Amino acid sequence: MPQKKLDAFFDTAKCTGSNEKVVQVPNFEKADLKDFPPIAPANLPPSYFVSAAYDGKVGKALIKLYEPKSGKIYFWYDNTGHKPYCYTNLSPYELEKIDRLMNHPGFDHFEIEEKFDPLTDKYVTVTKIVAKDPLAIGGKPKGCIRDIIPEDSPKVFEVPIDPNNIKVWESRIKYYQSYIYDLGLYPGMIYEVKDGNLVLKHVKEAEETVQLILKKFENAPPEELSYIEQWARLLEYPAPKFRYIAMDIEVYSPVATRMPDPREAAYPIICVAFYSSDGVKQVFLLRRENVEEGSEKLPEGVEIKYFDSENELIKETFDFLWRYPFVVTFNGDDFDFRYLAHRARKLGFQKDEIPIEVGKRVCLLKYGVHIDLYKFFFNRSIQVYAFGGKYRDVTLSDVGKALVELEKIALEKAISELTYRELAKYCFRDVEITYKLVSFNDELVLKLILVLSRISSMPMEDVSRQGVSRWIRNFMHREHRRRKMLIPNSEDILALKGKTATKAIIKGKKYKGAIVVDPVPGVHFNVFVMDFPSLYPSIIKIWNLGYQTVLCPHFECRSNLIPDTPHWVCKKKRALESLLIGALRDLRVQWYKPRSKDKTLSPDMRNWYEIIQGALKVILNASYGVFGSESFDLYCPPVAEATAAIGRHSITQIINKAEELGIKVLYGDTDSVFLKNPSKEQIEELEKWAEFNLKMNIDLDKVYRYVVFSSRKKNYLGVLADGSVDVKGLTGKKRHMPLFIKKAFDKLKDRLARVKNPAEFEEAKRDIINMVRECYMRLKRREWGSLHELAFNVVLGEAPEHYTKTTPQHVKAARMLKERGLELKAGDLISFVKVMNEPHVKPVELASDHEIDVDKYIAYLHSTFDQVLDALGLDFDEVIGLTKLERFM
DNA sequence: GCGGACTGCTTACCT
DNA sequence: ACAGGTAAGCAGTCCGCG
């Protein structure tokens, strides 16, 4: 949906990107607790479903609606009498004998229900145990209904029942999720309240686009089409203009290197900064003794307010948190919000004066939605697939630098020693980065979260904090409920479908994965890379893979074997995974990807489509892996194994066919093949063959002017037509390598980029020889500028004391730092250099030039360059001018 | 007591 | 808390060596 149309629909502020700000007069009225909760009026204009919760005080599900015109949140409480429940295969007659159940204060009543059991492919009659509140089903570890049933039933019946046959289903689903599924609600979508009822808003333009999409897919079977329609509607509906505020706090600490513990909240909050989408740029400072004003200049428009009392400072901070529909922090769950809440309690605030709901791992807001960017950017799938690995460390500074070109202010003093203005400037910069991480690229982050919320049927808070396996689980759950299917227990899937049958190449892995073809070493010109777009999701769709269909119970299907495995797949019924993931894949490949690149569309519209296709990419990339992950609720190893096996089958077939057509295959990995100088006809032939025989498309991904292969897999350098260079897996680009070597490697890369044809290679080779020599001589002459140029940068996988099997070098360095009182934990980056004396490593900070072990660095230079030099027919030792004899010595 | 062959551990990368 | 496959370097172990 184009932004223009969105604005017309909502008549909201113009939304053209982060540079053009719509400045409104901030609304500084004090939050009034009497207005809480903000119950939706009987008729509420179009609003976005942004969050859901269970309100224990009222005993009802609660939906938070964001009304973009007023920029306010409204609460809508359930008016259907929906209650929490779980299922069991025991009859009410049997259940009535369980005293602890019947006497449970939360027990309400039984209902009999027909459900479809996907594991047995049969309809079953189950008892729905309805409770008065969600805690009764699965609250405390002891004494809740889901535990009472398996614990007590064997004791209760005269005829003993096999405890393995006592089943409880769906008792671990969060109540508000259950509510969302049962009422057919779609988080992230637009609703109105009409006469007190929650009604989905119909947006004409979006519906028209949905029809357009359906037309594009008119040849798909009806079953697939209905899923395409469902997804398309969720994805085409517009996004609002968000009203949000970013917040950051600083706390006094007597020990400079130590972060104050948010649970103790022992020290005063000395600074709080805000930055909002409607023009607030505010810093609160606490007056303290012996602190100087300072003369630092703050960015324009920043207002500073001093407080003599911490209580007042916190109260005004809370005023913001009671008023904004979206509050953004960086690590607010574990620090800012937790500290604020505990500190406020300590200073005498009443619970209902505090706008924060403190949980075990999260801190939510009573009024609006708290987005903790740290959690969101930490998500590996988001990091890798949504942001293309642009940031590496999940710190405010690194993410800020990579995405919005803003870094934290480096401090030379401890926080507690800063002047007021230094502190204000520092804190404001943090909040500015936090704000911009949300505002950049037309509020991409919030829109991405909104889209993911729609796909997964999860509140925005949850979707921004949880991993991709939860997102996939939840849309699967939604579909089970919609189709009145029993959601199977993980252990039942595993027991029935069993483990895997293939042997992994890597020790300790569960099954065999993808194929990597040995590359043909050397330099190859005019290389075509062809691949299967979204290979694994395609396989899941085409081969009808899912936990129900792989190793299904039907005898007739047993002949429908999956290549290279003993598994078979169902011929009678479509798997949910196949339909849901298949539809998402088709939409991404055939609609969203092309649309995001379509120059005839407005930039706003392309941007929106880019966000959607990015969200789909994240989900699709994980959609196969989750089935092989024990933490996934529908864990089913044979499904993952079958997917990988068919992948191997597909690439092998393509390679065979290519060779049959007389095309030289240079390399291949998982879903791609590198073809040497193929003709147009050969390519067309191959495409047609794949389409007809594998029922899969194979696409031309890119054409390299030339590629350099060594004999190593997952290692190559390719130069594209425009002179840009792809470097894959080569040591010279790995992040732990010293800058000195990386720079040398980059020069090599730049030189190679300029080579256009085989003739130009000779000249390039001479230049490369000189480059390598020069680099070698600089090391020999010990000319490297700063020691940091020589530092290896390796991440600690665990806390330094946690390594028991071996002590890798970076751990040795880390321990040396630890002895000097530095706190180090998993995830920290250790910078160390190689030195002459035992133990041959030293943290950069502790090392000096003269102790550097130059030969070690030359060895690294050697191995780094070898990966490319081999292929060029050059030899490192000869290049640096060593004779064969010298080398021997 | 020492060096070489070997395995295992660890990190970073590819798809 | 998505998967498996590959490269590289180092730590640690075992064995032979009269």
Side-chain angles (χ1 to χ4, degrees):
Chain A
M1 166 65 52
Q3 193 64 51
K4 249 185 213 142
K5 288 190 186 168
L6 313 191
D7 291 339
F9 173 60
F10 283 116
D11 192 28
T12 48
K14 205 173 152 224
C15 183
T16 49
S18 45
N19 340 353
E20 202 174 324
K21 284 270 152 49
V22 183
V23 181
Q24 297 169 14
V25 181
N27 171 11
F28 272 121
E29 99 238 9
K30 291 257 161 50
D32 189 346
L33 293 182
K34 285 193 291 287
D35 295 341
F36 192 85
I39 293 173
N43 291 290
L44 181 71
S47 301
Y48 284 80
F49 180 148
V50 291
S51 186
Y54 175 74
D55 188 328
K57 279 192 208 131
V58 192
K60 285 178 179 170
L62 145 70
I63 309 296
K64 290 190 187 181
L65 298 161
Y66 167 59
E67 199 283 293
K69 271 192 190 171
S70 61
K72 286 187 174 162
I73 292 278
Y74 291 94
F75 288 10
W76 183 84
Y77 284 96
D78 171 61
N79 61 1
T80 69
H82 185 276
K83 283 196 167 72
Y85 62 88
C86 63
Y87 293 106
T88 175
N89 60 344
L90 299 181
S91 66
Y93 170 76
E94 289 165 312
L95 291 165
E96 272 164 12
K97 296 184 180 165
I98 304 174
D99 292 340
R100 273 211 296 160
L101 170 63
M102 302 312 289
N103 299 331
H104 195 292
F107 170 72
D108 200 82
H109 67 278
F110 298 130
E111 286 170 28
I112 307 271
E113 232 176 75
E114 266 289 271
K115 279 265 183 181
F116 179 75
D117 178 1
L119 285 180
T120 55
D121 196 33
K122 285 191 177 108
Y123 283 91
V124 287
T125 305
V126 290
T127 310
K128 184 177 189 175
I129 305 172
V130 182
K132 295 193 178 81
D133 79 290
L135 288 177
I137 301 283
K140 290 168 228 106
K142 281 261 149 44
C144 58
I145 290 170
R146 73 161 173 237
D147 296 333
I148 289 173
I149 291 170
E151 278 167 21
D152 288 14
S153 36
K155 305 176 217 161
V156 176
F157 308 125
E158 298 94 59
V159 187
I161 300 183
D162 179 356
N164 294 325
N165 284 336
I166 299 162
K167 303 267 186 222
V168 178
W169 290 281
E170 306 187 18
S171 67
R172 284 168 204 279
I173 297 172
K174 282 202 185 109
Y175 176 62
Y176 57 79
Q177 287 294 160
S178 178
Y179 184 80
I180 288 168
Y181 306 142
D182 288 351
L183 270 84
L185 299 176
Y186 292 104
M189 290 294 268
I190 309 161
Y191 285 85
E192 288 170 303
V193 179
K194 284 187 174 168
D195 302 326
N197 295 315
L198 197 61
V199 202
L200 191 67
K201 168 81 189 171
H202 179 97
V203 177
K204 203 164 146 256
E205 293 90 332
E207 289 296 337
E208 283 167 8
T209 318
V210 171
Q211 291 314 312
L212 203 68
I213 294 172
L214 288 179
K215 213 160 171 202
K216 199 173 162 62
F217 287 94
E218 61 191 351
N219 293 328
E223 205 175 14
E224 288 179 17
L225 209 58
S226 80
Y227 282 93
I228 286 173
E229 178 174 359
Q230 204 192 110
W231 285 130
R233 182 164 292 117
L234 286 171
L235 299 171
E236 287 297 331
Y237 267 58
K241 175 86 186 145
F242 292 95
R243 177 170 170 256
Y244 54 99
I245 191 161
M247 190 203 81
D248 184 58
I249 73 170
E250 303 300 335
V251 175
Y252 177 85
S253 167
V255 187
T257 54
R258 204 154 286 152
M259 248 318 215
D261 183 340
R263 269 156 252 265
E264 289 176 15
Y267 308 106
I269 293 162
I270 54 178
C271 186
V272 185
F274 294 97
Y275 196 139
S276 84
S277 60
D278 50 6
V280 174
K281 293 182 189 177
Q282 176 87 55
V283 179
F284 293 163
L285 282 166
L286 182 65
R287 283 227 183 270
R288 289 170 290 150
E289 277 179 31
N290 301 324
V291 177
E292 282 178 40
E293 175 70 23
S295 55
E296 292 281 317
K297 240 181 103 79
L298 271 93
E300 208 174 317
V302 179
E303 204 176 295
I304 297 188
K305 184 167 179 182
Y306 287 92
F307 290 82
D308 291 315
S309 124
E310 196 187 351
N311 280 51
E312 275 305 310
L313 185 152
I314 292 176
K315 199 173 271 170
E316 290 213 14
T317 296
F318 284 173
D319 276 344
F320 281 114
L321 304 188
W322 282 116
R323 285 208 319 264
Y324 272 84
F326 298 92
V327 182
V328 187
T329 63
F330 198 88
N331 203 25
D333 277 351
D334 284 331
F335 190 74
D336 304 54
F337 273 17
R338 202 169 288 276
Y339 203 100
L340 263 170
H342 282 124
R343 186 71 187 165
R345 284 296 278 161
K346 232 178 142 124
L347 295 177
F349 281 72
Q350 294 304 303
K351 271 210 165 128
D352 60 5
E353 293 176 300
I354 301 174
I356 299 162
E357 201 94 61
V358 179
K360 255 190 232 123
R361 283 194 292 274
V362 300
C363 287
L364 300 180
L365 286 166
K366 289 176 183 162
Y367 173 75
V369 173
H370 171 211
I371 303 290
D372 183 340
L373 291 181
Y374 174 72
K375 292 251 169 81
F376 182 68
F377 285 115
F378 191 82
N379 184 317
R380 275 291 290 171
S381 300
I382 293 295
Q383 184 178 358
V384 175
Y385 301 118
F387 293 104
K390 273 196 200 143
Y391 61 91
R392 299 188 116 147
D393 304 333
V394 190
T395 58
L396 185 59
S397 205
D398 202 47
V399 181
K401 193 165 61 178
L403 301 181
V404 297
E405 288 153 7
L406 257 187
E407 284 179 80
K408 273 175 87 94
I409 292 175
L411 289 181
E412 275 142 38
K413 299 185 264 185
I415 291 278
S416 317
E417 285 155 16
L418 300 177
T419 65
Y420 285 128
R421 285 189 159 266
E422 282 170 338
L423 178 62
K425 192 176 174 187
Y426 174 82
C427 188
F428 186 77
R429 172 65 67 83
D430 280 7
V431 87
E432 186 185 7
I433 303 172
T434 308
Y435 174 81
K436 289 193 171 154
L437 283 175
V438 171
S439 69
F440 89 100
N441 203 357
D442 210 1
E443 294 166 2
L444 167 124
V445 163
L446 287 174
K447 286 180 183 166
L448 188 55
I449 293 171
L450 185 81
V451 170
L452 290 170
S453 157
R454 289 182 186 169
I455 294 173
S456 64
S457 283
M458 290 161 83
M460 288 177 75
E461 287 115 325
D462 289 1
V463 88
S464 67
R465 285 170 175 80
Q466 297 180 348
V468 61
S469 70
R470 293 294 179 82
W471 308 342
I472 293 174
R473 174 192 76 180
N474 283 23
F475 72 63
M476 288 291 294
H477 280 183
R478 170 181 78 210
E479 222 40 48
H480 277 79
R481 281 277 173 90
R482 205 170 67 90
R483 293 187 157 207
K484 300 209 181 311
M485 288 163 71
L486 216 43
I487 298 170
N489 291 314
S490 201
E491 60 278 15
D492 294 338
I493 300 179
L494 200 61
L496 195 70
K497 306 291 176 166
K499 297 249 166 80
T500 50
T502 56
K503 194 175 172 300
I505 289 171
I506 306 170
K507 230 185 239 175
K509 299 288 185 187
K510 288 171 284 218
Y511 58 90
K512 195 194 280 285
I515 284 182
V516 188
V517 181
D518 267 317
V520 178
V523 178
H524 307 275
F525 278 81
N526 206 25
V527 174
F528 284 52
V529 181
M530 309 211 56
D531 71 352
F532 295 103
S534 299
L535 173 67
Y536 289 155
S538 311
I539 289 172
I540 290 171
K541 177 193 165 192
I542 293 155
W543 284 74
N544 190 26
L545 302 185
Y547 75 85
Q548 308 161 64
T549 50
V550 170
L551 302 169
C552 65
H554 320 115
F555 182 79
E556 315 86 273
C557 302
R558 294 190 170 218
S559 59
N560 194 19
L561 285 170
I562 290 159
D564 204 22
T565 71
H567 307 319
W568 66 88
V569 58
C570 191
K571 291 192 276 193
K572 301 177 147 190
K573 244 179 214 159
R574 285 298 294 273
L576 285 186
E577 296 90 327
S578 172
L579 288 165
L580 284 161
I581 295 166
L584 278 182
R585 188 218 90 110
D586 289 352
L587 275 169
R588 174 164 188 260
V589 173
Q590 291 177 54
W591 181 258
Y592 289 106
K593 199 81 193 285
R595 284 243 136 187
S596 70
K597 294 201 157 55
D598 188 341
K599 291 278 160 62
T600 65
L601 301 174
S602 72
D604 284 341
M605 200 165 175
R606 281 209 302 275
N607 199 33
W608 174 237
Y609 281 123
E610 182 60 38
I611 292 168
I612 297 171
Q613 81 85 14
L616 296 182
K617 181 176 170 185
V618 171
I619 302 239
L620 290 170
N621 271 319
S623 62
Y624 133 81
V626 292
F627 289 100
S629 165
E630 278 171 73
S631 61
F632 182 53
D633 283 58
L634 301 170
Y635 174 52
C636 188
V639 169
E641 181 179 38
T643 313
I646 297 163
R648 290 195 299 278
H649 179 73
S650 312
I651 189 176
T652 312
Q653 298 252 84
I654 272 291
I655 290 171
N656 290 344
K657 186 64 198 177
E659 282 169 350
E660 212 176 279
L661 290 169
I663 313 172
K664 174 101 173 143
V665 179
L666 297 170
Y667 178 62
D669 186 347
T670 311
D671 59 357
S672 67
V673 283
F674 288 54
L675 308 176
K676 182 157 184 157
N677 199 15
S679 70
K680 206 174 153 220
E681 292 72 34
Q682 283 172 317
I683 296 228
E684 279 167 5
E685 191 72 10
L686 197 62
E687 282 171 340
K688 260 194 282 170
W689 183 87
E691 174 89 62
F692 188 78
N693 291 281
L694 303 177
K695 309 277 173 272
M696 276 195 281
N697 295 316
I698 182 153
D699 278 5
L700 179 60
D701 181 23
K702 49 189 156 193
V703 179
Y704 286 117
R705 202 192 277 161
Y706 70 93
V707 181
V708 181
F709 285 121
S710 69
S711 55
R712 300 161 186 84
K713 295 170 173 179
K714 299 188 188 281
N715 254 271
Y716 61 86
L717 184 151
V719 180
L720 291 150
D722 63 359
S724 59
V725 186
D726 279 347
V727 178
K728 300 289 181 182
L730 301 187
T731 314
K733 93 167 215 193
K734 297 205 176 183
R735 88 144 148 175
H736 68 273
M737 289 306 277
L739 217 52
F740 184 92
I741 290 175
K742 272 187 163 169
K743 281 181 181 168
F745 188 81
D746 278 343
K747 275 180 79 179
L748 170 90
K749 194 181 99 180
D750 292 343
R751 184 64 192 87
L752 284 172
R754 302 212 303 274
V755 174
K756 291 223 164 53
N757 51 55
E760 288 178 14
F761 238 108
E762 294 312 309
E763 207 178 325
K765 271 193 204 173
R766 279 201 298 279
D767 289 348
I768 287 164
I769 290 171
N770 286 331
M771 281 160 47
V772 174
R773 267 194 201 139
E774 194 219 295
C775 204
Y776 167 77
M777 290 312 292
R778 275 174 58 207
L779 278 175
K780 273 285 179 197
R781 291 199 292 260
R782 309 181 79 87
E783 301 167 355
W784 45 68
S786 157
L787 254 194
H788 287 272
E789 297 269 314
L790 296 186
F792 288 82
N793 301 290
V794 180
V795 172
L796 278 174
E798 333 201 23
E801 64 275 13
H802 210 279
Y803 291 79
T804 49
K805 288 162 186 144
T806 58
T807 312
Q809 295 198 319
H810 66 293
V811 178
K812 287 190 176 124
R815 286 182 181 164
M816 288 157 101
L817 288 170
K818 220 184 138 200
E819 275 168 32
R820 304 199 162 222
L822 219 74
E823 277 182 78
L824 291 169
K825 52 184 190 316
D828 286 342
L829 192 71
I830 307 297
S831 294
F832 63 93
V833 292
K834 307 243 180 185
V835 294
M836 302 292 293
N837 295 330
E838 295 272 0
H840 304 296
V841 288
K842 234 179 196 189
V844 243
E845 297 90 334
L846 308 180
S848 45
D849 273 14
H850 65 87
E851 46 184 344
I852 293 297
D853 183 352
V854 164
D855 287 337
K856 265 271 166 262
Y857 285 90
I858 291 170
Y860 270 94
L861 194 68
H862 187 154
S863 64
T864 302
F865 275 83
D866 255 6
Q867 293 177 345
V868 179
L869 293 184
D870 293 354
L872 306 185
L874 296 171
D875 180 279
F876 184 83
D877 288 329
E878 279 177 35
V879 164
I880 62 175
L882 286 180
T883 64
K884 289 220 165 81
L885 187 66
E886 282 171 311
R887 253 183 283 159
F888 199 68
M889 297 161 54

